Amino acid sequence: MSSSDAWIPYRHPQPAESPPELIVPDAIPKDERVWVPVGDRVWFRPLLLCASRGYWMNLLKVQSAGVLSRHRHPQPVHGYVIKGRWRYLEHDWVANEGGYVYEAPGETHTLVVDPDVTEMITMFQVNGAMIYVDPDGNVTGYDDVFTRIEKCRRHYTANGLGAGYVDQFIR
Ligand code: FE
């Protein structure tokens, strides 16, 4: 880029159909009420709930050791471990603090947090759905971006943030 136009911003409108960008200044929230409980000392924090494309970005926080869930992924998942450590019973690798994880479509696995981990926080991009299964793969439940939106709405209604609080994360 020549020096004369390097600092000139793009001077045309963005496409009309392009949704507004989303900036979350405190991904790890200062207000604890933003964490949505989904189990015993297990929470998620929505970052982007992409209803139009069927995926979501969130932080998962776990402060209890044990099995979180056994699930199948119809589509890929990307994870970045911000704090702590976790692993899958089906694999010998460990997702350590600072690590990146790619989970392949078709994978069924069982997420565990070991007893010496006091807190685990991981950012996940989950595409499509989490399909919860028993050890034989029989479906016991699911989550998708719509169940996540519903869980947020219910929690924020109950804790005073308000039903509309979740809307800022939806695209
Ligand atoms: Fe997974």
Side-chain angles (χ1 to χ4, degrees):
M1 206 177 274
S2 75
S3 59
S4 62
D5 64 4
W7 283 83
I8 299 173
Y10 176 65
R11 35 183 158 222
H12 301 282
Q14 308 295 344
E17 296 78 13
S18 176
E21 68 272 42
L22 172 54
I23 310 302
V24 179
D26 55 339
I28 294 175
K30 294 174 192 75
D31 186 343
E32 291 294 320
R33 295 177 301 171
V34 177
W35 290 105
V36 179
V38 283
D40 180 30
R41 303 202 64 74
V42 180
W43 303 261
F44 76 95
R45 187 270 200 260
L47 294 168
L48 170 66
L49 299 161
C50 193
S52 60
R53 295 190 63 191
Y55 75 91
W56 68 100
M57 300 284 311
N58 68 183
L59 301 186
L60 178 67
K61 180 169 78 172
V62 181
Q63 292 179 342
S64 62
V67 174
L68 256 84
S69 75
R70 185 185 307 98
H71 53 264
R72 180 185 175 104
H73 294 293
Q75 292 187 46
V77 170
H78 303 274
Y80 170 59
V81 186
I82 295 169
K83 188 176 179 194
R85 191 180 79 238
W86 53 270
R87 62 190 174 87
Y88 285 125
L89 292 181
E90 292 78 4
H91 297 290
D92 55 11
W93 52 263
V94 176
N96 286 307
E97 189 168 307
Y100 161 77
V101 173
Y102 163 70
E103 302 183 17
E107 266 268 313
T108 300
H109 47 215
T110 311
L111 201 165
V112 297
V113 175
D114 288 311
D116 60 314
V117 178
T118 52
E119 183 175 70
M120 176 281 261
I121 299 176
T122 300
M123 181 169 74
F124 283 110
Q125 182 202 0
V126 185
N127 296 284
M130 303 264 291
I131 302 170
Y132 304 112
V133 297
D134 71 10
D136 295 311
N138 299 303
V139 176
T140 58
Y142 73 95
D143 263 311
D144 60 15
V145 67
F146 305 102
T147 66
R148 290 280 155 163
I149 290 170
E150 182 52 35
K151 280 170 185 166
C152 289
R153 214 181 287 288
R154 209 177 313 134
H155 178 63
Y156 297 150
T157 301
N159 74 7
L161 285 173
Y165 186 80
V166 69
D167 293 343
Q168 63 188 297
F169 305 114
I170 300 174
R171 290 292 185 274

